[in-house]
């Protein structure tokens, strides 16, 4: 934008310099040409000796006028009182010279090019008219016209000159207007470009800010995911180990200690494997070698044997390959739900159903325990904030949803729905 404005300024300066050069040397050059042609044609127009002599001082006056004008620096200025006086004196000298010899019209024509620059407002039109009279007189054979025919010819040529002045003045005005509109358009484009650049800078800053926020949100989300992962794996395993050790401590028979210790050791090994896989951010251990239905069946069976609660697992629909994140999410929801049942429900029977349907899978976990009021603040999140709210957050992370239905004394039903990506056949 700066280079464009500078280039436009340089072009404007170059045009102004060429104009000043013409106004500085053009009048003297035209005066010299007119004088040469005049002295070469003195016999053609039958100039008298007095007229020939008069031409010399008038030419000198014209030169002095221009030198005064040029040396005082008036060439580069706009219309002033001095410029109007100069224009009037120069027109008078040019008119007299043209009256003496029509070829001095070559000098008088300079009035057409300098009227707008030297005369203010409507006086420029008067200057153009005066120059048109001089030019018409020259073109009709000299002033004053001879006879009626001379006057008719003079009038016709004057009309032609005035018409041309009007036409060219109109074209000049139009050209000036186009130039002004062009400059205004360029100025507006520069302002628009400046605003656009400002908007781009603001967008770049906003983009950088959004990147930072997205990175921070990703870090926070990953922290929540890892926290939920640890809660659903390590914490649950440790809870199971503690429960087995407590059962062993409470037992009175020597033969009952070994099963509790074996289960505690098994839970410890599973928790260690989950810890390693969580650190590597891999799928749950149960999904490492099995699909989701097999992993859920083993999870329900192992939980049922450990807790002494009858557990049933059912699959409906045609099983299909699921994205790793979806399968892990469903497994974690089942593990968390079973953990809640073991801790709070006092249920005698639990049923887990996995249904493959068109475009989605659903998971239902029902128990016949004591139930609860889902609206109670105590049950909106589990210990550490990863109860029902944590399961719901897991489902929402894979664009799914989770709902809970329960009533004190009538058991609990947890349902999750997860959409599946469609594959074109």
């Amino acid at each position: 934008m700066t280079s464009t404005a500078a280039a436009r300024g340089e072009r404007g300066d170059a045009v102004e310099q060429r104009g000043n050069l013409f106004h500085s040397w053009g009048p003297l050059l035209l005066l010299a040409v007119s004088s040469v042609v005049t002295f070469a044609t003195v016999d053609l127009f039958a100039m008298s000796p007095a007229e020939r002599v008069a031409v010399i001082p008038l030419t000198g006056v014209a030169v002095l006028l221009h030198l005064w004008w040029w040396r005082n620096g008036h060439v580069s200025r706009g219309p002033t009182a001095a410029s109007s006086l100069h224009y009037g004196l120069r027109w008078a000298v040019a008119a007299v010279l043209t009256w003496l010899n029509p070829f001095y019209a070559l000098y008088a024509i300079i009035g057409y090019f300098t009227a707008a620059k030297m005369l203010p407002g409507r006086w420029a039109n008067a200057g153009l008219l005066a120059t048109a009279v001089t030019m018409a007189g020259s073109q009709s054979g000299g002033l004053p016209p001879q006879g009626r025919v001379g006057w008719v010819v003079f009038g016709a040529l004057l009309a032609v000159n005035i018409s041309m002045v009007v036409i060219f003045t109109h074209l000049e005005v139009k050209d000036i207007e186009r130039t002004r509109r062009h400059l205004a358009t360029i100025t507006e484009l520069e302002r628009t470009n400046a605003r656009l650049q400002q908007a781009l800078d603001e967008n770049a800053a906003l983009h950088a800010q959004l990147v930072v926020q997205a990175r921070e949100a990703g870090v926070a989300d990953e922290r929540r995911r890892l926290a939920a992962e640890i809660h659903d794996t390590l914490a649950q395993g440790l809870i199971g180990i503690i429960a087995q050790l407590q059962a062993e401590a409470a037992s009175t028979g020597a033969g009952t200690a070994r099963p509790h210790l074996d289960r505690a050791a098994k839970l410890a090994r599973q928790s260690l494997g989950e810890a390693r896989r969580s650190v590597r951010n891999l799928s749950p251990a149960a999904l490492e070698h099995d699909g989701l239905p097999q992993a859920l069946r083993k999870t329900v069976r192992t939980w049922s044997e450990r807790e002494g609660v009858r557990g049933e697992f059912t699959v409906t629909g045609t099983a299909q390959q699921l994205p790793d994140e979806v399968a892990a999410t469903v497994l974690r929801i089942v593990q968390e739900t079973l953990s809640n049942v073991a801790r709070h429900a006092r249920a005698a029977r639990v049923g887990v159903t996995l249904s493959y349907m068109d475009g989605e899978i659903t998971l239902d976990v029902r128990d016949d325990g004591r139930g609860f009021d889902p609206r109670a603040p105590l049950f909106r999140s589990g210990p550490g904030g990863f109860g029902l709210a944590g399961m719901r957050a897991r489902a929402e992370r894979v664009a799914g949803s989770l709902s809970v239905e329960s009533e004190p004394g009538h058991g609990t039903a947890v349902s999750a729905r997860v959409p599946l990506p469609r594959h074109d056949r």
Side-chain angles (χ1 to χ4, degrees):
M1 292 180 292
T2 303
S3 59
T4 302
R8 191 174 73 248
E10 291 176 358
R11 289 196 298 270
D13 292 341
V15 172
E16 184 177 359
Q17 289 176 0
R18 288 195 295 270
N20 291 336
L21 182 64
F22 172 77
H23 289 292
S24 298
W25 299 103
L28 291 179
L29 179 61
L30 293 176
L31 181 61
V33 173
S34 301
S35 299
V36 171
V37 175
T38 295
F39 283 100
T41 58
V42 292
D43 296 331
L44 178 63
F45 290 97
M47 293 180 63
S48 64
E51 291 175 337
R52 297 179 185 183
V53 173
V55 165
I56 297 174
L58 288 173
T59 303
V61 170
V63 173
L64 292 176
L65 274 173
H66 185 74
L67 291 177
W68 169 79
W69 177 256
W70 177 65
R71 292 191 63 181
N72 285 275
H74 295 293
V75 172
S76 59
R77 300 176 186 175
T80 61
S83 66
S84 301
L85 177 61
H86 176 77
Y87 187 92
L89 293 175
R90 189 185 63 191
W91 171 82
V93 172
V96 174
L97 288 172
T98 303
W99 178 51
L100 296 175
N101 190 303
F103 279 113
Y104 269 107
L106 295 174
Y107 171 64
I109 199 173
I110 195 69
Y112 281 149
F113 301 100
T114 58
K117 182 179 178 63
M118 302 178 68
L119 298 176
R122 296 182 178 180
W123 285 103
N125 294 330
L128 292 173
L129 178 60
T131 301
V133 171
T134 304
M135 297 302 296
S138 170
Q139 293 163 359
S140 62
L143 292 174
Q146 301 297 321
R148 181 179 300 178
V149 175
W151 280 103
V152 171
V153 173
F154 171 75
L157 291 172
L158 179 61
V160 171
N161 278 272
I162 292 176
S163 299
M164 294 183 65
V165 167
V166 171
I167 292 173
F168 285 112
T169 301
H170 177 74
L171 293 177
E172 182 180 7
V173 170
K174 291 295 184 182
D175 184 65
I176 293 174
E177 291 178 355
R178 283 195 300 270
T179 302
R180 288 177 179 174
R181 288 197 298 269
H182 180 66
L183 293 176
T185 301
I186 293 177
T187 302
E188 182 62 27
L189 287 175
E190 289 179 350
R191 286 197 293 264
T192 302
N193 288 338
R195 291 193 295 267
L196 178 60
Q197 185 62 45
Q198 182 181 2
L200 291 176
D201 294 340
E202 292 176 355
N203 287 340
L206 179 60
H207 175 72
Q209 182 180 0
L210 290 177
V211 169
V212 173
Q213 291 177 351
R215 186 182 298 113
E216 293 176 351
V219 170
D221 185 69
E222 185 65 12
R223 288 174 177 171
R224 287 192 296 269
R225 187 194 68 79
L226 289 176
E229 193 80 9
I230 293 172
H231 172 267
D232 292 343
T233 56
L234 300 182
Q236 301 303 329
L238 293 174
I239 290 173
I241 292 172
I242 293 172
Q244 296 300 322
L245 293 176
Q246 288 176 343
E248 191 277 333
S251 63
T252 57
T256 60
R258 176 53 57 185
H260 293 302
L261 293 176
D262 290 341
R263 290 170 185 167
K266 183 178 180 180
L267 286 172
R269 286 192 294 271
Q270 291 177 348
S271 297
L272 178 61
E274 289 289 355
R276 291 171 176 171
R277 286 166 176 78
S278 296
V279 171
R280 294 196 300 267
N281 195 23
L282 297 177
S283 299
L287 296 174
E288 185 173 2
H289 303 291
D290 295 325
L292 180 60
Q294 294 79 11
L296 289 179
R297 190 180 304 278
K298 291 180 180 180
T299 298
V300 173
R301 184 175 63 247
T302 301
W303 177 86
S304 177
E305 293 174 355
R306 185 176 70 245
E307 301 296 337
V309 178
R310 179 183 176 185
E312 298 179 354
F313 174 71
T314 306
V315 179
T316 63
T318 303
Q320 55 182 293
Q321 186 67 31
L322 300 177
D324 293 341
E325 187 176 4
V326 172
T329 297
V330 174
L331 177 61
R332 294 306 187 206
I333 291 176
V334 171
Q335 290 174 335
E336 174 68 14
T337 303
L338 293 177
S339 176
N340 290 338
V341 171
R343 283 183 290 171
H344 306 296
R346 299 178 185 175
R349 180 177 178 275
V350 176
V352 179
T353 303
L354 178 66
S355 302
Y356 290 87
M357 298 190 294
D358 185 19
E360 69 175 11
I361 61 170
T362 61
L363 173 71
D364 295 292
V365 182
R366 299 179 180 272
D367 67 72
D368 59 357
R370 60 179 181 172
F372 65 95
D373 183 1
R375 296 172 297 179
L378 178 63
F379 298 103
R380 292 182 184 177
S381 63
F386 298 107
L388 298 179
M391 290 190 291
R392 184 171 289 109
R394 282 185 177 276
E396 292 175 351
R397 191 175 296 125
V398 291
S401 61
L402 184 138
S403 60
V404 178
E405 296 180 1
S406 184
E407 185 178 350
H410 294 81
T412 301
V414 176
S415 299
R417 305 171 67 91
V418 179
L420 299 178
R422 296 181 178 274
H423 301 283
D424 296 333
R425 296 181 178 180

